Amino acid sequence: MKKSIETIWKEGFIEDKALIAPKINDLYNQKSQNIVDKLKRMFDLNLKGIAIGAILVFGVLTFNGLPFLGAFISAMLMFLVVKGYQQFKQLQKIDNNVNSYEYLKSFDGWMKKVIKEYTTIYRFIYPMLFVACITRFGFSEVGLSIIEGMAKDFPSIPVVMGMPVVIPVAIALVAFLLSYFAGVIYRLDMKSLYGRQFNKLEEIIADMETLQTQQSTN
Amino acid sequence: MGSDFYTSSILPFAAIIIKICRAYTNTQEDFEDYYQEVCLQIWRSKDRFNQQSEWSTWIYRISLNVCLTYLKKKKNNPQELASDSLPPQAIEDSHCFADESVNQLYHAIRQLSETDRAVILLYLEEKSYQDIATIIGTNANNIGVRIKRIKQRLNKILNSEDI
């Protein structure tokens, strides 16, 4: 008679060597390497994505009769790509011969520095992109008719460079706000892309620090 | 992870973790990854253990959570699925246990849905219906019926493969 699954389970594991725990080897070394490799791959992929985006934007806008706007946006995006690869080069300088904890701390420090530098860059890029797009819109038929309509409907508003002063003031205000909140916008962007990996990295560093504390108190 | 904690709180329960991880993995490499991750999560979550249940129950819960999460991750990332997609003849550890009946039973268990695997493993480990329900987060009322259905399915698989 065949054994029931309960009996197989009950009798099957007696003195089974397969139930001896496998060795935990280099757990944090592996994890550190995995997370760093993954983040590097993601950064690289992101930069390639921006480069492709820059080419596409230029192509699409040129095709739609906006070559200057296309070239401007594309140039800004390419600047981000070049800057990114420059940062990547700095990453290679991190000493690989230190222990996992020190390597991760160096990597974390590099990443924070990159984020800080990009935040500064975006303080200019976001408002410049906005001003470029809105200026081009202002020269379009729709834009011109809106400006003319405003000038007609509100003749009491002073006019600067052929447009009611509220328009450049509003543009300047939005550009200022974009610059002011560039850090927040960029951090949100980074969080949506790399949030989980950043959390993992912090988790691993925290684990290692806890272990170091435990080891030093023992 | 502190070696003291591993030796005193995980190692005595390693069999539980091994039995569960084996049910969710096909290769030795995957098994070792899952095992390590479970140990790490047990260590990380040790402060959340409130002693209302047994430590072993906590280990079952963490082990299953980790395995299910890992499996979900692998499904979302087909690249990582490579080792799970190996043809049956290439599976390295299909004979990892000394008793061939256990290997065959595992082979059948791996064909169940992820949650059914959890239910049957807990049942075979003689957990109460209430414990099973708590661990997998369901109502205890239908656990008995579910186990009966899973056992029928397992027997069908075992018989159909002439085991």
Side-chain angles (χ1 to χ4, degrees), chain A residues 2 6 9 31 207 211, chain B residues 37 44 123 125 151 163:
Chain A
K2 273 193 171 180
E6 291 88 344
W9 196 264
K31 280 190 161 287
D207 276 357
L211 281 175
Chain B
E37 190 62 30
R44 275 187 184 149
Y123 163 75
E125 286 291 295
K151 278 171 66 181
I163 291 167

Side-chain angles (χ1 to χ4, degrees), chain A residues 89-102:
Chain A
K89 271 189 189 165
Q90 286 178 21
L91 181 61
Q92 311 304 330
K93 290 179 190 164
I94 295 179
D95 189 0
N96 287 327
N97 299 318
V98 291
N99 64 41
S100 294
Y101 174 70
E102 282 173 31

Side-chain angles (χ1 to χ4, degrees), chain B residues 7-25:
Chain B
T7 314
S8 64
S9 305
I10 297 184
L11 217 45
F13 301 93
I16 294 174
I17 305 171
I18 293 169
K19 285 176 186 173
I20 290 176
C21 291
R22 286 283 181 201
Y24 289 93
T25 55

Side-chain angles (χ1 to χ4, degrees), chain A residues 36 90-91 93-114 201 205:
Chain A
V36 168
Q90 286 178 21
L91 181 61
K93 290 179 190 164
I94 295 179
D95 189 0
N96 287 327
N97 299 318
V98 291
N99 64 41
S100 294
Y101 174 70
E102 282 173 31
Y103 181 72
L104 276 191
K105 283 296 272 185
S106 306
F107 182 80
D108 191 46
W110 169 82
M111 229 170 48
K112 283 183 175 139
K113 191 175 150 251
V114 169
L201 182 66
I205 292 175

